[in-house]
Amino acid sequence: MHLAYPAVLAVLLFCVGVYGVLARRNAILVLMSVELMLNAVNLNLVAFDVWLSRAAEETLHSGQALTLFTIAIAAAEIGIGLAIVLAVYRNRGTSDIDRLRDTAEGHESPTADDTDAATTGTPTTDGTEKAEATA
């Protein structure tokens, strides 16, 4: 088998994964797309390891060993990622990435001048006086 076949398949898988990361709004689908990209890299590692082992007399199978480490890292990444997505879904009620980004940008913290003026009743820079904050 030629090296071009698994390389082309890996490129296609990686492109589908990149499209999924860029186009999807659901966090779980983004995680699945990242997994597709990691699997494309794993396919390349194994294909090049087999191809290089035919050329070399000593086979170390370093590509296959690196693939096992990549699979272990991907399993940990998907476990932590899904835990974060579930926690965000419980708190916010959605896993839509655009809505989560909008809620993060929507909360602006008051500046230090505004909080000092609000608590002391001193005039602000525009001449109006802010009332004291009551709890």
Side-chain angles (χ1 to χ4, degrees), residues 27-28 31-32 34-35 38 70-88:
I28 295 175
L31 286 173
M32 288 174 61
V34 170
E35 290 293 323
L38 286 173
T70 308
I71 290 171
I73 290 171
E77 175 258 334
I78 198 69
I80 292 171
L82 282 176
I84 291 171
V85 167
L86 286 174
V88 167

Side-chain angles (χ1 to χ4, degrees), residues 21-100:
V21 167
L22 296 177
R24 297 296 176 183
R25 295 183 180 176
N26 191 351
I28 295 175
L29 292 178
V30 170
L31 286 173
M32 288 174 61
S33 299
V34 170
E35 290 293 323
L36 269 178
M37 293 190 308
L38 286 173
N39 285 332
V41 171
N42 287 340
L43 182 61
N44 266 336
L45 285 171
V46 171
F48 277 99
D49 182 52
V50 169
W51 181 65
L52 290 174
S53 69
R54 289 183 188 165
E57 293 178 6
E58 297 178 11
T59 57
L60 296 175
H61 298 295
S62 58
Q64 293 178 14
L66 192 58
T67 298
L68 289 176
F69 286 119
T70 308
I71 290 171
I73 290 171
E77 175 258 334
I78 198 69
I80 292 171
L82 282 176
I84 291 171
V85 167
L86 286 174
V88 167
Y89 182 76
R90 286 181 184 164
N91 289 337
R92 304 272 173 111
T94 183
S95 64
D96 188 7
I97 294 174
D98 291 335
R99 288 186 185 173
L100 296 177

Side-chain angles (χ1 to χ4, degrees), residues 8 12 16 27 38 46 53 55 65 86 88 91 101 109 111 118 120:
V8 168
L12 290 175
V16 168
L38 286 173
V46 171
S53 69
L86 286 174
V88 167
N91 289 337
R101 188 177 338 148
S109 62
T111 61
T120 60

